[in-house]
Amino acid sequence: MKLLGNAPGPDAIPDAEKVFADFARELTGFDDIDSEIVSLNLALLRRNKGLIGDIDALLDRYARLAGQTASDDTDARILPLKVDETSLGLIKQVLYLFYAGALRVDGHWRRCGWRRHETALVWKALRTHPPMTRGGGEFGDWAKHPQAEDLPETGKAKHRDPAIA
């Protein structure tokens, strides 16, 4: 019996996002994950099935385990999913996406947008705000050389070390 899928059917769970949200909460240990991020992350994982694995198949297995285990037995739902390298790799991708706002593809990090950076769970885990999310400017503006109008009115910066101009 197929529990999840892209096309609705008589055996499909009506809300795959709810199953994904439950899975993400159990996997990350955070109960208050933004529902918009859950939707965005599920859509991203589905679009990249060929690169990182079939999230719907993993969620199908998770939903089956959830139906067979006590609600407080997270290990009984998560540990059996780690049976092969493909599933384990996909679980890691879900963790990367929620904690870092990025995916690891072919040995390289791929950032997945500003909203995911801003809501990445790493900031909540570290009890800090995400860098470059406060004040003026835009994402990545730190990498650009400052313009004259951005410099303080006092002129050249004064350095204590004469070797620094």
Side-chain angles (χ1 to χ4, degrees), residues 1-163:
M1 175 170 90
K2 179 108 173 111
L3 296 177
L4 295 175
N6 289 329
D11 294 333
I13 291 176
D15 192 1
E17 285 184 18
K18 182 190 179 317
V19 174
F20 184 58
D22 291 343
F23 176 66
R25 281 192 287 273
E26 288 199 331
L27 197 59
T28 65
F30 284 98
D31 290 332
D32 56 345
I33 299 174
D34 184 313
S35 60
E36 179 187 359
I37 292 300
V38 169
S39 297
L40 290 170
N41 285 352
L42 180 58
L44 180 73
L45 291 166
R46 283 177 167 164
R47 280 193 315 269
N48 289 281
K49 177 180 176 179
L51 291 173
I52 58 175
D54 187 350
I55 188 64
D56 288 311
L58 184 68
L59 292 176
D60 181 50
R61 290 176 32 216
Y62 170 78
R64 289 174 196 243
L65 290 165
Q68 300 168 358
T69 58
S71 62
D72 64 344
D73 196 356
T74 300
D75 286 348
R77 287 182 292 282
I78 299 297
L79 293 178
L81 298 176
K82 299 178 179 181
V83 295
D84 57 59
E85 286 300 315
T86 302
S87 296
L88 185 57
L90 186 51
I91 289 169
K92 288 178 182 179
Q93 294 290 1
V94 172
L95 286 169
Y96 297 151
L97 197 50
F98 278 99
Y99 269 94
L103 293 173
R104 187 99 172 134
V105 180
D106 296 327
H108 301 284
W109 287 104
R110 293 198 181 167
R111 290 179 288 160
C112 297
W114 175 249
R115 182 83 172 104
R116 288 183 182 94
H117 165 77
E118 188 176 40
T119 59
L121 294 176
V122 66
W123 313 125
K124 193 179 291 190
L126 294 173
R127 295 187 176 125
T128 188
H129 70 275
M132 277 87 51
T133 60
R134 295 185 177 176
E138 60 187 46
F139 184 71
D141 63 0
W142 53 268
K144 300 173 189 166
H145 291 287
Q147 301 299 314
E149 60 269 11
D150 296 331
L151 296 175
E153 301 260 340
T154 59
K156 287 188 171 183
K158 295 180 181 175
H159 299 283
R160 292 185 183 168
D161 184 348

